[in-house]
Amino acid sequence: MVGIVVTVMMVAVDSDGGGGCDVTLLDVSNWSVTVAQPLKGQNQLIFADQRLAIVYPIIQNFKNTISSDPLGVTKSWVGPNICNYTGFYCESPPDNNSAIALASIDFNGFQLSASTLDGFLDQLPDIAIFHANSNNFGGNLSPNIANLPYLYELDISNNQFFGPFPSAILGMNSLNILDIRFNSFTGSVPPQLFTKDQLDALFINNNNFMQRLPDNIATSHVTYLTLANNRFFGPIPRSISKILSSLTEILLLNNLLSGCLPYELGFLNQAVVFDAGNNRLTGPLPFSLGCLENVEILNFAGNQLYGVVPDVICALGNLVNLSLSDNYFTGFGPICLRLIENGVLDLRNNCIPGLPFQRSMAECVAFFAYPRYCPHMVTYTYIPCWLSNFKTPPLDLPKLAP
């Protein structure tokens, strides 16, 4: 392949201490150039491909905006061999197998600081993967990211991004994985996000999103979804079994979810972790939870649940942690007692007579002084699967009103 030559003129430092470089691209049509003799005061940079020559000034401009680089990462961002820069990776782009392009960036853990990614990420025409976890990047994302045709993994988690949800993401037809966890995004999440056919993984936990769980979440195609540590409110939808039936981890903890637990939770038969701790959920535990045969961690601590803990749940064979503390349960069965003795079941700070570390009688009386009611109460004792330990066949539910 013929090298691509870029002539870089070094500009004298101004009196105010500034400086810079002007980059002029030579004619690279038909992948061939005529190399001119360098003039006095000029340095020649020879690139392996025109696509690398195009992104070189973009990278250098971004380098100049970085205000902190404690690991010295940017020291390697010198010269025409961009594919050897720390954090930069090259591949052939989808539209030309013989070309060389900047296809992937991995800044994870670099601790770089910059006020924005605008003018950098959105100007990399061949980028397919952008990972920047655990840095100090801020601002919001440029609307121009919607013009990146190949970007399918975007991870900007654990940074300092803020403002509303970056709506330009809705226009990205190639995006498969979106991770914006541990930032300071606010407002609501556009409902269209949950209906994007190609989106497989969506991590939006640990932000400040505040909204009711959208009704159209039932049509989501997402395989990995985390909503924890936000301010989502309203009930867990009964359609959850359609939304999350294929998920192994379902993380709803530390939100403002309320209402009673739907019977349909029992159909999440792939779940290994179900965590809805620290919400405002109420009502009894549905017996259908005994059908979660793969579940290892089940957390409903820090809610307003009450009633007797069903033995069918305590009999789950893979349980290693069943957290029901800080609720208002009043009893449990013999199988649950064994889990307490083995340290698997945590029932502290409830209203169970004779069990240590419970709420005061005054707290329990105050809670039960108000009538408690859940809709569809008939569903709470139905078990939609075969439980060999209890010799119970599946029981069909009568048709429920929406």
Side-chain angles (χ1 to χ4, degrees), residues 257-316:
L257 300 176
S258 59
C260 299
L261 297 176
Y263 153 85
E264 287 81 1
L265 291 180
F267 293 105
L268 301 174
N269 50 20
Q270 298 301 312
V272 175
V273 177
F274 185 92
D275 192 336
N278 295 320
N279 280 282
R280 299 174 180 178
L281 300 167
T282 191
L285 291 175
F287 283 28
S288 63
L289 292 174
C291 297
L292 304 181
E293 59 183 3
N294 294 310
V295 77
E296 297 176 7
I297 298 174
L298 191 57
N299 180 23
F300 291 105
N303 281 285
Q304 299 174 25
L305 302 172
Y306 56 86
V308 175
V309 181
D311 259 346
V312 292
I313 299 175
C314 292
L316 286 166

Side-chain angles (χ1 to χ4, degrees), residues 304-307 326-331 347-372:
Q304 299 174 25
L305 302 172
Y306 56 86
D326 296 291
N327 281 286
Y328 294 88
F329 291 108
T330 54
L347 276 171
R348 290 174 297 175
N349 212 32
N350 278 278
C351 297
I352 303 174
L355 197 68
F357 308 110
Q358 298 297 292
R359 294 182 183 273
S360 68
M361 182 175 292
E363 284 183 276
C364 296
V365 168
F367 177 80
F368 289 107
Y370 296 92
R372 305 285 169 178

Side-chain angles (χ1 to χ4, degrees), residues 93-160:
D95 63 346
N96 189 338
N97 290 333
S98 63
I100 302 174
L102 175 60
S104 175
I105 289 178
D106 185 355
F107 290 165
N108 284 355
F110 283 1
Q111 303 175 43
L112 300 173
S113 297
S115 61
T116 182
L117 292 179
D118 287 4
F120 176 59
L121 171 60
D122 55 310
Q123 298 299 314
L124 302 175
D126 300 302
I127 196 72
I129 299 173
F130 186 82
H131 291 174
N133 177 290
S134 300
N135 285 277
N136 293 297
F137 298 136
N140 206 306
L141 294 180
S142 167
N144 293 328
I145 62 171
N147 299 324
L148 301 176
Y150 309 127
L151 185 61
Y152 72 92
E153 286 190 20
L154 177 59
D155 178 2
I156 55 170
S157 58
N158 197 21
N159 278 279
Q160 298 178 17

